[in-house]
Amino acid sequence: VLGVFGFGFNAVTCWAQGLCLELSILKYHTMTYTHFYEYIMFKYSVNDISLKYSSDCVIDLGISFDRSLTFQSQIEKVTCKA
């Protein structure tokens, strides 16, 4: 299964290079979603550059994703603005 993810990253990279687009790989993050306290950390890389591992929260398109997918950080952010 992990090989499939690596293939996906490489496919996107090849697609972008074919269109002369430069990817901001240093802005990429990975996160493991689980209901367990222990999780498997797998190192992902694109063009031999290791992707950063986010341990707490990732913001994507303005939505905060936490490790347990409770969206608690998103709820707190929105309610503080109200």
Side-chain angles (χ1 to χ4, degrees):
V1 173
L2 296 175
V4 173
F5 292 119
F7 175 76
F9 289 140
N10 290 332
V12 170
T13 303
C14 290
W15 170 80
Q17 288 174 346
L19 295 173
C20 298
L21 298 173
E22 185 176 332
L23 298 176
S24 299
I25 296 172
L26 298 177
K27 293 182 180 180
Y28 284 24
H29 293 268
T30 62
M31 180 182 275
T32 301
Y33 298 100
T34 181
H35 291 286
F36 302 106
Y37 292 107
E38 294 183 28
Y39 52 90
I40 299 171
M41 284 188 57
F42 183 78
K43 292 213 176 237
Y44 293 100
S45 63
V46 176
N47 289 341
D48 295 326
I49 299 173
S50 293
L51 302 181
K52 292 182 219 173
Y53 187 81
S54 297
S55 59
D56 232 3
C57 179
V58 173
I59 298 174
D60 188 18
L61 299 174
I63 306 294
S64 298
F65 293 90
D66 56 17
R67 177 176 309 288
S68 60
L69 288 177
T70 61
F71 296 98
Q72 188 63 37
S73 57
Q74 178 68 23
I75 293 167
E76 290 173 4
K77 184 175 88 172
V78 171
T79 55
C80 287
K81 287 185 176 181

